[in-house]
Amino acid sequence: VISANLRIIAIVGSLALLVFIVELVRRRRLKEEYSVLWVATALVLLLLAAWSGLLRNLTHLIGAISEASTIYFFSLIFVVFLLLHFSVRVSSLERRVVVLLQELALLGERRAQTAQDERREAERETETSLL
Amino acid sequence: VDLRDQQRLHGDLLIVIPAYNEQGRVGEVIADVQSVLPGVDVLVVDDGSRDATAVEAQNAGAHVIRLPLNSGYGAALQTGYKFGVRAGYGKIGQIDGDGQHQAAYLLPMLQMLEQQDADVIVGSRFLAGSDYRAPLARGIGIKLFAWLASLITHEQVSDPTSGFQLMRRRVASFFCSDVYPTDYPDADILILLHRTGYRVCEIPVQMRPSEGRSMHSFHSSPYYLYKMLLSIFVTLLRRGAKVKAQAEPAP
């Protein structure tokens, strides 16, 4: 059984997390899109902290002995999904960066080519005028 | 740098058409715009389409910017704003590339921008005089956020998702900063405009019936509801957005 002190700490902590997430979005440090998982985390933590029956029933349901291990179990699952989510995002970002890099390199090559053509053209004109 | 001579564009009005896989439709939209406003500068921002959208737009006489990757409706529009602001246009209009908007309404929109001394004119499908009916799930979201935006701004907002707009350069310049979303600008942006001190007016427009294929399927997802509520909430928490926004420099 979780003590009253721990419960208060958990409630305050999850509320602080929620405020911090909203503050990050407000400062545009975190996009709304990426706030979904974090807001969900904060709300679940808040729910578990405020509603003791839920944690007890959940512990019973998964057959755990201690309520602390229920929290650990679900946190671990959540963290795994979060990491997976970011791996997917990073993969997609990496793919986009490569495409942009190639576009930029091709554009640079084309510009250099055009500049070279123009220089040759100018040189040829100078030669003809000298002759 | 003045891009106007370079791009062989002229005039004070630029019409931006964001288009993603609009082959077979975007050409007609351009022709529609040019029949209403002969000789107007039209810019199509091709949001990384996999079909011949860019070729069709070019053949129809539009200036085309191709994004190398699909980046979202808002990102495509913002590309158009950046181009328009840098090229020195005084007014920028936007019309969707799928042919639902009728370019004929650009004329009353231009008139209203001058007469009402407004900064943005939004073509609304839900004002008196329009008979558009949105699909149920979308309709509820639009109604909810229209109500919320009206409540916050004390102005009439009936169609916050409308992509049919006309704005002055200072607004487009404001949109060139990171205040503008890459996905879908909505009620949150209208509230932001209001709080920043810009004057937004609505005008009734009729829509052509959709071909059952909406580019805005996003608007009936639960994420949309979440994003918009959060976005409106943080918009209300922000202060002095106008000062902080890193607007595009005028030419």
Side-chain angles (χ1 to χ4, degrees):
Chain A
V1 177
I2 285 176
S3 74
N5 272 356
L6 189 57
R7 180 182 304 281
I8 289 168
I9 291 171
I11 291 175
V12 170
S14 42
L15 279 176
L17 180 62
L18 201 59
V19 169
F20 185 55
I21 295 162
V22 172
E23 176 62 14
L24 283 177
V25 175
R26 191 187 71 84
R27 290 193 194 174
R28 300 199 180 89
R29 298 277 299 275
L30 182 67
K31 277 183 84 179
E32 285 93 346
E33 195 186 339
Y34 293 94
S35 70
V36 181
L37 278 172
W38 293 110
V39 167
T41 316
L43 289 179
V44 168
L45 283 178
L46 191 63
L47 199 67
L48 285 175
W51 182 9
S52 59
L54 182 68
L55 185 58
R56 229 180 354 255
N57 288 339
L58 216 57
T59 308
H60 186 70
L61 193 74
I62 64 166
I65 295 163
S66 140
E67 290 177 357
S69 47
T70 311
I71 292 183
Y72 276 120
F73 176 67
F74 282 106
S75 326
L76 207 65
I77 290 183
F78 179 78
V79 167
V80 165
F81 273 107
L82 203 63
L83 287 178
L84 194 62
H85 171 78
F86 283 121
S87 300
V88 170
R89 287 292 179 174
V90 169
S91 306
S92 142
L93 275 177
E94 196 177 299
R95 192 178 51 79
R96 292 174 76 91
V97 166
V98 169
V99 173
L100 289 180
L101 224 109
Q102 290 165 338
E103 286 285 331
L104 203 63
L106 290 167
L107 210 64
E109 194 273 338
R110 213 174 66 188
R111 270 189 62 173
Q113 196 69 47
T114 315
Q116 201 176 22
D117 288 350
E118 276 169 7
R119 210 162 40 236
R120 283 205 187 124
E121 189 67 33
E123 275 168 17
R124 211 170 300 141
E125 268 170 29
T126 338
E127 277 170 26
T128 20
S129 64
L130 281 174
L131 287 170
Chain B
V1 185
D2 189 3
L3 296 173
R4 273 203 257 182
D5 300 330
Q6 201 180 323
Q7 311 282 6
R8 274 186 240 109
L9 296 176
H10 46 83
D12 192 45
L13 172 66
L14 175 73
I15 304 295
V16 176
I17 306 176
Y20 177 55
N21 293 340
E22 298 295 0
Q23 182 186 348
R25 286 171 290 269
V26 73
E28 284 168 35
V29 176
I30 296 163
D32 190 19
V33 170
Q34 280 168 343
S35 72
V36 175
L37 296 161
V40 75
D41 296 336
V42 178
L43 171 72
V44 171
V45 182
D46 177 8
D47 188 14
S49 299
R50 281 160 307 188
D51 61 9
T53 297
V55 178
E56 186 175 318
Q58 211 136 31
N59 290 341
H63 193 75
V64 178
I65 293 179
R66 287 207 67 175
L67 299 182
L69 290 161
N70 181 244
S71 306
Y73 178 75
L77 267 177
Q78 197 187 43
T79 309
Y81 299 148
K82 287 190 174 177
F83 177 90
V85 169
R86 287 184 192 182
Y89 287 93
K91 295 171 209 140
I92 296 178
Q94 65 185 60
I95 180 167
D96 284 350
D98 61 359
Q100 283 202 58
H101 300 143
Q102 302 178 30
Y105 288 102
L106 283 168
L107 295 175
M109 285 167 93
L110 278 164
Q111 207 174 19
M112 197 176 187
L113 193 72
E114 298 307 329
Q115 284 173 355
Q116 305 268 337
D117 194 32
D119 293 302
V120 186
I121 306 293
V122 178
S124 168
R125 299 160 285 180
F126 303 108
L127 279 182
S130 338
D131 54 8
Y132 175 75
R133 290 279 169 274
L136 187 66
R138 261 196 81 187
I140 292 170
I142 294 173
K143 283 262 156 54
L144 171 68
F145 293 117
W147 172 78
L148 207 56
S150 306
L151 194 74
I152 293 167
T153 63
H154 304 292
E155 304 257 348
Q156 182 183 41
V157 179
S158 62
D159 195 359
T161 60
S162 175
F164 196 9
Q165 301 186 3
L166 179 71
M167 66 192 69
R168 293 185 188 280
R169 182 179 46 220
R170 51 176 176 266
V171 178
S173 174
F174 178 58
F175 284 164
C176 289
S177 66
D178 65 358
V179 301
Y180 206 70
T182 53
D183 51 11
Y184 292 95
D186 201 298
D188 52 343
I189 286 299
L190 292 179
I191 292 170
L192 177 67
L193 282 176
H194 181 263
R195 286 175 69 87
T196 316
Y198 292 114
R199 201 169 129 70
V200 183
C201 293
E202 285 192 330
I203 195 168
V205 297
Q206 299 278 355
M207 294 272 281
R208 292 197 187 92
S210 149
E211 293 161 23
R213 183 200 71 99
S214 176
M215 55 189 278
H216 299 291
S217 62
F218 169 78
H219 289 117
S220 40
S221 69
Y223 169 67
Y224 166 62
L225 207 69
Y226 166 84
K227 191 223 156 173
M228 205 38 61
L229 285 174
L230 179 64
S231 184
I232 290 174
F233 181 58
V234 296
T235 302
L236 294 178
L237 290 177
R238 284 179 191 136
R239 297 218 169 266
K242 196 173 196 169
V243 184
K244 279 186 190 158
Q246 297 267 314
E248 278 288 295

